[in-house]
Amino acid sequence: GTNCWGTNLKGESTDFAITDLITPAISLAGGNHATLRFWQNFDFTQADTGDDGDAFGGGDLVQAAQVAISKDNGAVWTTLYTPDADSTDGWEEVEVDLTRYVGSTVRFRFNYQLFSFKTTDRLGWLVDDLAVDLNVVASSRVVVVLPLVADTSATPPPRRAASCATAPGSILSSTTPGTEVPPPRPSRRE
């Protein structure tokens, strides 16, 4: 698209910035798997560190970005994502698993900070095409029950043909033709 959120859309010279983009409340109810997706473009490489007569070296002290989530309307924020590189090679997509927040109503905060002793042109952090996917993903469970061999020095039992049931919740078993496998014992609870 032609629009995005950015910390310095005009590309002006700057040496200080604290910017936040906070989303409206988003419900993650009705599914069991959620993902945050967005595209980003940034260049956090260190500004020219030539001292130019500056006692502090003329470089950046802080230039960072993070995505945080809040389940309490912004009272407490938990970091979900922080870029792990100094720059991107153009636009790149980011996916963040939100499954542990399913069932909650959340807000996202995109935060960028810059503090430098050198005023220069900076790209900052650009974010576009923010989406939250909430899906219902079927869960499955497989239980395998095999007979145990008590004496490991004994001759191993003959090969057994496996029979598999495909109904949900069924138990996979291994049987020798002409024999029956007893039902599994219930687990003891202490």
Side-chain angles (χ1 to χ4, degrees), residues 41-166:
N41 187 357
F42 63 88
D43 184 358
F44 300 159
T45 54
Q46 183 80 356
D48 179 9
T49 56
D51 69 2
D52 296 332
D54 184 341
F56 296 103
D60 298 338
L61 295 180
V62 173
Q63 187 169 199
Q66 69 176 358
V67 178
I69 190 169
S70 176
K71 297 191 315 181
D72 55 12
N73 206 27
V76 176
W77 293 97
T78 302
T79 301
L80 289 174
Y81 168 80
T82 303
D84 58 1
D86 289 337
S87 64
T88 57
D89 186 21
W91 287 95
E92 69 178 17
E93 187 175 22
V94 176
E95 292 184 9
V96 181
D97 183 19
L98 301 175
T99 301
R100 69 185 200 175
Y101 298 99
V102 167
S104 302
T105 298
V106 300
R107 290 181 184 267
F108 299 100
R109 178 181 68 188
F110 292 77
N111 172 262
Y112 169 81
Q113 299 177 23
L114 164 70
F115 179 69
S116 177
F117 289 107
K118 182 156 185 85
T119 303
T120 187
D121 296 347
R122 299 175 189 277
L123 175 63
W125 190 25
L126 306 176
V127 176
D128 200 5
D129 295 335
L130 170 66
V132 175
D133 299 327
L134 181 63
N135 300 301
V136 175
V137 177
S139 62
S140 61
R141 184 177 124 172
V142 174
V143 177
V144 177
V145 178
L146 298 173
L148 299 176
V149 176
D151 183 4
T152 58
S153 65
T155 306
R159 289 191 152 222
R160 300 169 186 239
S163 64
C164 299
T166 58

Side-chain angles (χ1 to χ4, degrees), residues 22-33:
I22 299 175
T23 67
I26 299 171
S27 173
L28 298 181
N32 63 1
H33 182 77

